[in-house]
Amino acid sequence: MSDNKDSWKFVHITDIHIGSPDSYRFAPVWNEQWETAAEQIKAINPELVLVGGDITRDGDTEPEQFANSIKHLNSLGIPWHLIPGNMDTGNKIADRPGARMPERNDLELNITEENLQIFKAQAAPFPWTFTHRDIRFSGCYEIIKDTDLPSAQELDTFLAGLSELPSADHHIMLNHYPLFVDDIDEPHYDITKEDDYLAWYFGVDPEPRKNLIKAYKASGVTHVLSGHIHCRRPPFTIDGITYIKGASTAMKQFGDRWPDGDDTLGFQVFTVTPDGIEFEFHPLTRISTRTDGWGPGGHPQGAKRAARKS
Ligand SMILES: [Fe+2]
């Protein structure tokens, strides 16, 4: 428990990407980074841990990885609350092949309802909401908003229900994809243009973004925590909502996107006091330099489907 009864902590981890030696690809270094993060989190002893998705390397094609990742989360000995990420369930839905064909076929990487249901059964149910010490915590897989997936209808029902709940001192919303990459009013990015591709891949499109923010405001959301990019930025507040892009514990990405971007591996620590919520980034205290392992990186075409069949 917290040392001070008026002050307590919660932690946000995301993109921990625990892999499996039984997989067609494996990076032991990512698992070692997680072990370091877990030691640090246990030493902090927060009252709860928010897990922002991508708990596996390839849960979307190898759902047997979920049991191992859940075992690692349970080993913290701290209550945790989880939403899926794209490597667990599939990517943001593309309606055409993107600029990275042929090595990456976005159409075959799309989220499927089957994968969402597997995640709910084998990892954790979502969306969810609860209160802890007068703070509301909610988690949903934002990237399915306004899609044709049955789970998107469930999300709409969930969001409508959130607005009916009693207000809390703070309302923390856990997401995987950031609602925007650079700017809250950024336009639709073109998946077929290489210059736009990563911005398309990393963020939510304008229409679902607008609808999510509207729903979040209607339910008094004060903080939106996201992952997916593997590069953090200092928190910033727009129109009453503080957006926090979180770091990965496993692997760096996109570190050159923003002058204030920082792809250092680590996690987010929040201290709640009577005066508000203080935020602190905790870098990993030990960085593994292992280079062994096997298999392709990224989103190789065909290899993932082949993995599921084997
Ligand atoms: Fe990730």
Side-chain angles (χ1 to χ4, degrees):
M1 295 294 289
S2 176
D3 294 328
N4 182 333
K5 69 180 172 54
D6 294 327
S7 166
W8 61 280
K9 293 182 191 298
F10 66 92
V11 161
H12 169 226
I13 57 173
T14 185
D15 299 273
I16 61 177
H17 287 292
I18 298 170
S20 168
D22 296 328
S23 177
Y24 75 102
R25 59 178 178 173
F26 182 47
V29 63
W30 299 2
N31 289 29
E32 284 203 358
Q33 315 293 30
W34 161 251
E35 298 288 352
T36 299
E39 280 175 32
Q40 290 178 240
I41 293 165
K42 283 191 269 192
I44 293 166
N45 196 22
E47 295 194 5
L48 57 94
V49 177
L50 304 175
V51 188
D54 277 5
I55 58 170
T56 59
R57 175 82 188 266
D58 286 297
D60 60 337
T61 51
E62 300 177 2
E64 59 274 15
Q65 291 188 15
F66 289 129
N68 183 49
S69 296
I70 296 298
K71 185 182 76 183
H72 279 274
L73 291 176
N74 285 338
S75 74
L76 292 172
I78 300 162
W80 50 263
H81 304 272
L82 169 67
I83 59 161
N86 60 300
M87 299 305 283
D88 303 320
T89 58
N91 287 357
K92 172 182 174 178
I93 291 178
D95 64 357
R96 67 200 69 189
R100 301 209 164 174
M101 279 285 276
E103 72 268 22
R104 181 189 295 202
N105 179 359
D106 289 282
L107 292 174
E108 77 171 18
L109 298 167
N110 284 345
I111 303 165
T112 66
E113 185 64 25
E114 180 191 6
N115 278 357
L116 295 173
Q117 295 303 329
I118 289 171
F119 186 91
K120 287 176 183 179
Q122 299 189 25
F126 69 91
W128 42 258
T129 188
F130 64 92
T131 55
H132 180 82
R133 294 211 197 204
D134 295 329
I135 294 184
R136 178 160 295 283
F137 292 89
S138 302
C140 70
Y141 196 29
E142 69 306 303
I143 204 65
I144 63 174
K145 179 82 175 98
D146 298 340
T147 66
D148 293 332
L149 296 168
S151 283
Q153 293 168 18
E154 182 191 9
L155 174 59
D156 286 343
T157 303
F158 169 79
L159 292 171
L162 274 188
S163 67
E164 306 291 322
L165 296 172
S167 62
D169 290 352
H170 308 276
H171 187 172
I172 314 295
M173 175 61 72
L174 180 65
N175 286 168
H176 184 66
Y177 284 72
L179 296 183
F180 50 91
V181 175
D182 298 318
D183 188 278
I184 198 165
D185 295 316
E186 66 196 14
H188 185 88
Y189 291 109
D190 185 344
I191 188 176
T192 68
K193 293 196 173 121
E194 179 56 35
D195 285 350
D196 274 9
Y197 184 82
L198 283 177
W200 177 87
Y201 173 75
F202 279 129
V204 175
D205 286 345
E207 191 67 17
R209 178 196 313 143
K210 183 183 75 180
N211 293 332
L212 284 163
I213 291 173
K214 186 176 172 193
Y216 291 179
K217 284 187 173 163
S219 60
V221 168
T222 53
H223 297 72
V224 177
L225 316 185
S226 60
H228 187 44
I229 297 178
H230 297 208
C231 180
R232 73 186 187 93
R233 290 186 80 183
F236 52 91
T237 302
I238 303 173
D239 213 7
I241 297 179
T242 299
Y243 296 89
I244 301 176
K245 290 176 162 75
S248 167
T249 63
M251 181 261 289
K252 299 178 172 193
Q253 266 178 173
F254 223 36
D256 57 357
R257 178 71 177 196
W258 309 289
D260 61 355
D262 181 354
D263 60 7
T264 302
L265 302 179
F267 55 91
Q268 290 61 242
V269 179
F270 297 83
T271 304
V272 185
T273 73
D275 297 328
I277 300 180
E278 296 165 11
F279 166 81
E280 199 175 37
F281 172 67
H282 282 221
L284 296 191
T285 51
R286 185 177 67 247
I287 298 294
S288 171
T289 55
R290 279 181 77 158
T291 56
D292 57 324
W294 59 84
H299 299 268
Q301 183 170 184
K304 290 163 76 75
R305 287 189 295 185
R308 185 154 205 169
K309 288 190 207 114
S310 64

